[in-house]
Amino acid sequence: MRFNSAVRLIGPLRRPLRNYILSKRLRFPKLISLELTNACNARCVMCPRDQMSRKIGTMGMDVIEKLCRDAYKKPVQKINMFGFGESLLHPRLIEIIGYVKKSLPGVELNLSTNAQLLDDRLASGLLASGIDRINIDIDGVTKGTYEQVRKQLKFETVIANINNLIQMRNKLHSRVVVSVTIIEMDLTKAEVKPFQRLWSGVADIVYVNHYNTWTGVFPDRNTRKVKLNKFNVPCKNPWREMIVNYNGSIAFCCMDFNSTVVIGNIMEQTIEEIWRGEKMENLRRLHLQGRYNEIPICSRCNEFVFQSDTFWANLF
């Protein structure tokens, strides 16, 4: 029996377990995602960049330093060094990763990239920076499919860069984990299994992700059946992840690419004050009460496809 489903069978213990986990999650975010820049060198068909009204910018060291002070000796487990943009475009990326790793040595640092710019210099710098995981989003095994999905990128360049990174990592006996990801949707469905065969044994982890509609901006292109067809439990994100935009503002959710719901700014408050503040608590309360329709970005979201059969969903 799968552990997630087994949670439902613990009867009267499920409520106190849920309350304990909710209380623990309110102390501090487990995951912080840093939008080092919201600029990007691609125009992917599943990305709403053309509808982004925010100005393009890059995160300054003042924001990084403030975040590290706030998170020092706090129970954050992981920091994503990316947000709504391509982090390799940040001119001080390697320096920033090194600073965060030195300041928060026990925290796992993740980077996700399209790898178009991952040349020898950046690959070498990343492997020496203190990064723990590097994920590359590929979305295809053929040039035709890849470049249809990830427009403005070159398939041959990306594949060569990934292979070079892995070879360099192996030669250096580095512990950096390298993963690759494909989104299963109508355009890539026929290449999912070939993708898994191609990268298994080359990359450390091969992910197959659901398709996200970005709060209803796009029609649903998912081709896999999921347990849920709507949110009937609270979304786990408000209890798990804090989104820090490049200017220090805190978005309620990583899917809110235009930051329509802002709950604070770490240059004005601490992470803990924002995470446990009134704005965040009011939004969490709406989720607990199933009142998604009162939060426009949540009412249109299909994030439930990622949470359909998780430990979190089975707590409720």
Side-chain angles (χ1 to χ4, degrees):
M1 181 180 295
R2 295 183 61 183
F3 176 71
N4 291 340
S5 299
V7 175
R8 287 196 171 276
L9 302 179
I10 63 177
L13 295 178
R14 188 152 58 96
R15 182 183 292 274
L17 175 61
R18 179 173 68 230
N19 291 340
Y20 169 76
I21 291 173
L22 287 175
S23 175
K24 188 175 181 180
R25 294 282 183 91
L26 291 177
R27 298 173 189 170
F28 205 81
K30 291 175 60 178
L31 169 66
I32 298 175
S33 292
L34 300 183
E35 182 184 70
L36 299 185
T37 180
N38 62 339
C40 192
N41 57 338
R43 288 297 182 271
C44 303
V45 298
M46 62 286 191
C47 178
R49 292 202 65 81
D50 292 342
Q51 300 184 48
M52 184 177 67
S53 56
R54 291 190 292 138
K55 293 182 179 179
I56 302 297
T58 57
M59 185 173 284
M61 285 302 298
D62 56 339
V63 178
I64 299 292
E65 291 166 1
K66 174 60 162 56
L67 178 134
C68 289
R69 290 196 299 272
D70 285 357
Y72 182 64
K73 292 189 176 180
K74 299 293 184 180
V76 58
Q77 297 176 4
K78 184 186 303 182
I79 295 179
N80 286 337
M81 309 300 293
F82 61 92
F84 195 70
E86 172 51 62
S87 294
L88 296 192
L89 288 168
H90 197 296
R92 301 177 69 180
L93 172 63
I94 306 302
E95 176 188 354
I96 288 171
I97 294 172
Y99 181 89
V100 175
K101 194 63 176 179
K102 183 177 180 180
S103 302
L104 306 170
V107 178
E108 179 181 306
L109 303 186
N110 293 346
L111 176 70
S112 191
T113 174
N114 60 44
Q116 177 73 36
L117 303 174
L118 191 58
D119 57 16
D120 284 353
R121 180 187 65 83
L122 275 174
S124 177
L126 283 173
L127 291 172
S129 68
I131 199 74
D132 294 289
R133 290 175 175 260
I134 301 173
N135 178 73
I136 301 100
D137 299 307
I138 306 178
D139 296 316
V141 296
T142 63
K143 177 180 175 68
T145 298
Y146 176 85
E147 294 185 359
Q148 181 184 10
V149 174
R150 293 194 164 264
K151 297 181 183 297
Q152 297 187 190
L153 304 181
K154 297 297 182 183
F155 181 71
E156 296 89 349
T157 300
V158 168
I159 299 304
N161 287 347
I162 299 169
N163 286 324
N164 182 58
L165 172 70
I166 293 173
Q167 290 170 11
M168 189 179 297
R169 188 275 308 265
N170 293 344
K171 185 177 181 179
L172 293 171
H173 301 289
S174 168
R175 295 183 179 180
V176 175
V177 174
V178 178
S179 61
V180 295
T181 301
I182 186 170
I183 298 173
E184 184 171 338
M185 54 181 168
D186 50 358
L187 297 175
T188 64
K189 182 180 179 180
E191 297 190 10
V192 169
K193 289 185 178 179
F195 182 89
Q196 291 173 303
R197 289 194 297 267
L198 175 66
W199 290 104
S200 294
V202 180
D204 300 304
I205 308 172
V206 180
Y207 292 111
V208 179
N209 283 346
H210 291 290
Y211 177 87
N212 201 298
T213 65
W214 289 94
T215 67
V217 169
F218 296 122
D220 195 336
R221 285 174 154 169
N222 274 298
T223 59
R224 279 191 288 166
K225 292 182 179 180
V226 294
K227 184 176 179 180
L228 301 177
N229 57 18
K230 65 177 183 179
F231 266 119
N232 58 12
V233 299
C235 176
K236 68 179 180 180
N237 290 347
W239 283 267
R240 176 176 178 264
E241 182 180 11
M242 174 173 277
I243 311 300
V244 185
N245 293 329
Y246 72 85
N247 61 357
S249 66
I250 306 299
F252 175 54
C253 179
C254 60
M255 294 294 108
D256 188 9
F257 60 92
N258 264 328
S259 291
T260 59
V261 182
V262 174
I263 58 172
N265 192 301
I266 65 167
M267 303 309 289
E268 300 167 0
Q269 296 173 277
T270 67
I271 290 175
E272 192 167 8
E273 287 170 344
I274 297 169
W275 187 248
R276 303 176 68 175
E278 183 178 358
K279 288 184 178 180
M280 197 68 181
E281 277 302 287
N282 287 339
L283 290 164
R284 289 191 185 109
R285 189 175 303 111
L286 292 175
H287 273 245
L288 286 169
Q289 296 172 353
R291 295 157 64 187
Y292 282 87
N293 61 311
E294 297 180 34
I295 312 173
I297 59 167
C298 300
S299 68
R300 304 185 301 266
C301 184
N302 80 325
E303 176 73 10
F304 57 81
V305 301
F306 294 91
Q307 302 180 31
S308 179
D309 193 26
T310 62
F311 173 79
W312 175 268
N314 281 286
L315 283 172
F316 294 88

